[in-house]
Amino acid sequence: MSTRKFPLKIHLKILCAALLGAFAAHPAPVRIAFAAEGETAPPPPMDIPYMHEEAMAAGIDHAYRGGWEFFVGGGVASFDCNGDRRPDLFLAGGTEPAALYVNRSPTGGALKFEQKDTGLPQRDLTNVSGAYPIDIDNDGHLDLVVLRVGENRILKGGPDCTFTQANRLLSFDGGRAWTTAFAAEFEQGMPFPTLAFGNYVDRAAPGSPWGTCHDNDLFRPQKRELTEDGKAAMPAYSERTALSPGYCALSILFTDWHRSGTPDLRITNDRQYYRGGEEQLWRVEPGRPPRLFTRSEGWRSVQIWGMGIAEADLDADGYPEYALTSMGDTKMQTLDEDAEEGRPVYRDIAFEHGATAHRPYAGNDLRPSTGWHAGFEDFNNDGKLDLFIAKGNVEQMPEFAAFDPDNLLLGGLGGKFTEAGHLAGIDLPTRGRGAALADFNMDGMVDLLVVNREHNVSLFRNLGAKSDPQSSDPSRARPMGNWLEIELAQKNVNLDAIGATISVKTGNTTRVRKVQVGGGHASGHLGFVHVGLGVSERAEIRVHWPDGTWSAPYRVFANNFVRIERGSERARYWLPE
């Protein structure tokens, strides 16, 4: 991620020339919604979701601000902190205090949030770059891992959205790094999660920033025996393992890429600050030190200005695909069909699937785009995953597009993606960073919040399908396809079933979702898992639990919130008030 943080004009000119040369040899795919002057681009051949912006009307007045150390980051944690199952929001503020907004949205109505005083001292809330929710101590209340420029914090969640700073309680040293990424998993046999932190430039190194990326950190909990009631005592995170070399991470994700049942750690890096820096895949096996996959094992060097990562099993074959955002091209990788068992050999399919998103799709600015948060969701409930990408110039970089609207790439036939950001209404003149993709008003349609740099957040309510793709009248929105929202629960350990895979079958079609903590860009979500069903009115759900066992099939009706408790014979419906 090249920036103008430092006055290296010669370097930027070389960078610009290289990028423009690459784009000349890499023409825009046909999905780009450009039209000649006086003409109208044809609408995509699917339902266009009407995304109505209502941040200020909903009561959210918050921006991500700060100098060069906050050109990156800018995340949001989306999670239920008060037990009503509606997603609440913890928003990073940079040099401004982070803010907690409690969801007061009526079911199916206009979005409404109320800011709540966390009761935490300002030193815990300033210099925040991002946040991720996870129940670290298995007490049933989601905690927050807060990423900072400086000491990271773990906030222990309590009833009614209360939090206490828990670094000392958990024996956790938050360090002094410039932290920009996070992921967590429950390793086999461990009652508490393993925590991974991705760090950016080492600010303390001589000659910073060139060649001075900070090592990343892995914290494994001390293994403790379960108590008589089946619960574990408070974990301790006093043991840190350095993941070296670090290449300036901006997003990390635990991923079971080879279906072994043991996830590895994938890191997308900003190669700008380290000569020879590249994307990384760390083998993380229980009880063993992590180690990098090598070229002899099949790992191919990919050098991008890596910013965000998202995982999805687009073809339900059991092997995930990855969207990697960058300055310029977005990459979309899939495991090579000729890869031997256990070898991470990936190929890029972004161009053939229309997902490069390498320049703005609206306006007249043809300079390269700058991509940040990436997330897969089904915004129009047609049963096919869509791809959202937050976009925005780093600051005032003349080599990259100034007007760079967020992308909404709708999934279609043959795995092709079609740009619909302009028609959906998310093409605002903002500089996006992190994002939350969730159903805020519990109506079965995915809404969207985007954290913007030096500008108020964007909050889009999904009103349904546009009757006329060119219309801007929200009253003309109509219902979209059917849907399910699924909540998993286990007892005693890993209550939210992090690492579980959900398979939803309708007819001959299977849709796959994963419960994960990590990825995106400085932004995490835990809560209901949304699945679009298209025209199907019933579905069969099976859960592959984190320990590798399969659930029985659960047959459910569409357009319902479903809770599946491990070991239960039936799924339970939940009706929002």
Side-chain angles (χ1 to χ4, degrees):
M1 192 262 332
S2 172
T3 77
R4 297 201 65 180
K5 306 172 192 173
F6 308 95
L8 298 176
K9 297 181 179 178
I10 295 177
H11 170 79
L12 289 174
K13 288 180 180 179
I14 295 173
L15 168 65
C16 181
L19 281 168
L20 291 177
F23 289 125
H26 188 163
V30 295
R31 65 154 187 87
I32 300 294
F34 286 113
E37 185 175 357
E39 296 180 359
T40 301
M46 68 277 288
D47 283 344
I48 308 299
Y50 191 108
M51 307 297 290
H52 186 244
E53 207 291 318
E54 46 193 60
M56 293 299 289
I60 301 182
D61 185 1
H62 186 86
Y64 181 70
R65 304 185 188 280
W68 64 276
E69 290 177 310
F70 299 98
F71 287 175
V72 299
V76 52
S78 171
F79 66 114
D80 172 24
C81 65
N82 58 7
D84 66 357
R85 290 194 166 95
R86 283 168 163 75
D88 307 301
L89 300 168
F90 182 86
L91 296 161
T95 53
E96 299 291 325
L100 176 66
Y101 283 87
V102 177
N103 193 342
R104 306 297 189 194
S105 306
T107 302
L111 302 182
K112 183 175 178 58
F113 287 83
E114 176 184 341
Q115 187 170 0
K116 179 179 173 59
D117 184 3
T118 63
L120 295 166
Q122 186 156 324
R123 66 176 178 272
D124 291 331
L125 299 175
T126 54
N127 295 337
V128 172
S129 60
Y132 289 79
I134 182 174
D135 185 356
I136 289 178
D137 55 358
N138 299 311
D139 68 350
H141 298 291
L142 287 177
D143 312 305
L144 281 175
V145 176
V146 178
L147 314 182
R148 299 178 70 247
V149 180
E151 185 183 8
N152 297 317
R153 302 283 202 266
I154 296 178
L155 304 182
K156 178 174 167 52
D160 196 25
C161 301
T162 55
F163 294 91
T164 55
Q165 211 257 69
N167 284 29
R168 181 174 297 180
L169 179 67
L170 298 172
S171 302
F172 170 70
D173 181 358
R176 296 292 185 272
W178 179 357
T179 305
T180 47
F182 176 77
E185 68 148 338
F186 283 78
E187 294 189 72
Q188 292 179 9
M190 299 300 291
F192 302 110
T194 292
L195 312 178
F197 292 81
N199 301 315
Y200 200 48
V201 171
D202 185 352
R203 299 171 296 153
S208 179
W210 308 112
T212 61
C213 293
H214 205 290
D215 287 343
N216 300 312
D217 300 320
L218 189 76
F219 290 87
R220 281 172 157 152
Q222 294 180 358
K223 187 173 182 179
R224 296 179 179 177
E225 299 299 325
L226 298 181
T227 59
E228 292 182 359
D229 60 358
K231 295 184 178 180
M234 190 67 65
Y237 289 96
S238 55
E239 298 181 4
R240 169 186 176 270
T241 299
L243 302 179
S244 181
Y247 293 144
C248 291
L250 282 178
S251 187
I252 60 180
L253 183 70
F254 281 105
T255 174
D256 189 8
W257 60 272
H258 46 1
R259 300 196 305 184
S260 70
T262 303
D264 295 316
L265 184 66
R266 179 151 187 174
I267 305 180
T268 186
N269 294 306
D270 183 356
R271 56 105 176 217
Q272 170 64 25
Y273 296 115
Y274 202 103
R275 183 173 297 174
E278 60 184 4
E279 303 296 281
Q280 293 171 306
L281 181 65
W282 287 85
R283 186 188 296 276
V284 182
E285 296 177 305
R288 296 184 179 182
R291 70 169 182 83
L292 279 170
F293 278 88
T294 64
R295 285 163 178 73
S296 64
E297 294 174 294
W299 183 248
R300 295 172 177 173
S301 177
V302 175
Q303 294 183 314
I304 57 175
W305 292 277
M307 296 180 176
I309 186 170
E311 173 187 317
D313 187 354
L314 296 176
D315 54 5
D317 66 350
Y319 295 96
E321 281 72 43
Y322 305 91
L324 311 173
T325 62
S326 177
M327 301 178 77
D329 280 1
T330 289
K331 303 296 184 185
M332 183 173 288
Q333 292 189 331
T334 191
L335 195 64
D336 194 289
E337 57 190 14
D338 294 328
E340 297 177 10
E341 185 72 22
R343 291 175 60 82
V345 182
Y346 283 86
R347 61 185 180 91
D348 185 29
I349 58 173
F351 184 77
E352 63 190 83
H353 287 265
T356 56
H358 59 260
R359 67 186 188 191
Y361 57 85
N364 299 317
D365 198 334
L366 300 184
R367 291 174 292 180
S369 276
T370 306
W372 299 90
H373 187 95
F376 288 101
E377 264 294 0
D378 187 352
F379 281 87
N380 57 4
N381 286 341
D382 66 350
K384 300 178 180 63
L385 279 171
D386 312 312
L387 175 60
F388 168 80
I389 303 173
K391 289 285 187 70
N393 197 296
V394 173
E395 188 62 6
Q396 296 179 359
M397 294 189 63
E399 294 84 5
F400 293 86
F403 175 65
D404 197 4
D406 302 335
N407 294 97
L408 182 56
L409 297 163
L410 297 181
L413 295 175
K416 299 287 186 179
F417 289 90
T418 303
E419 182 61 64
H422 173 63
L423 295 173
I426 68 169
D427 55 333
L428 302 183
T430 51
R431 284 180 286 163
R433 292 298 190 262
L437 288 61
D439 182 1
F440 294 125
N441 62 352
M442 316 309 282
D443 63 356
M445 296 184 290
V446 177
D447 307 304
L448 171 65
L449 180 135
V450 186
V451 179
N452 296 312
R453 174 163 168 78
E454 301 291 349
H455 192 280
N456 192 37
V457 301
S458 303
L459 178 63
F460 297 96
R461 176 163 59 113
N462 192 336
L463 299 180
K466 300 181 75 170
S467 297
D468 178 359
Q470 306 299 331
S471 172
S472 59
D473 182 2
S475 66
R476 299 188 63 185
R478 57 178 173 77
M480 295 191 293
N482 296 324
W483 53 271
L484 284 173
E485 298 203 27
I486 303 164
E487 179 184 72
L488 302 184
Q490 298 189 125
K491 294 180 179 179
N492 301 325
V493 171
N494 190 8
L495 305 186
D496 299 295
I498 292 166
T501 301
I502 303 172
S503 295
V504 180
K505 185 176 181 181
T506 58
N508 294 322
T509 301
T510 300
R511 301 170 181 91
V512 177
R513 301 290 187 270
K514 193 83 173 180
V515 181
Q516 293 175 306
V517 173
H521 179 69
S523 303
H525 169 78
L526 264 182
F528 279 105
V529 175
H530 174 270
V531 183
L533 299 180
V535 299
S536 298
E537 298 179 348
R538 300 182 184 186
E540 180 183 278
I541 303 172
R542 292 196 71 192
V543 179
H544 192 215
W545 296 101
D547 66 357
T549 61
W550 281 95
S551 74
Y554 297 97
R555 292 177 175 82
V556 297
F557 291 99
N559 302 327
N560 277 296
F561 294 87
V562 177
R563 177 178 171 87
I564 297 177
E565 298 177 357
R566 183 167 183 170
S568 296
E569 295 181 358
R570 296 182 180 180
R572 295 167 52 192
Y573 294 115
W574 173 75
L575 298 177
E577 297 180 358

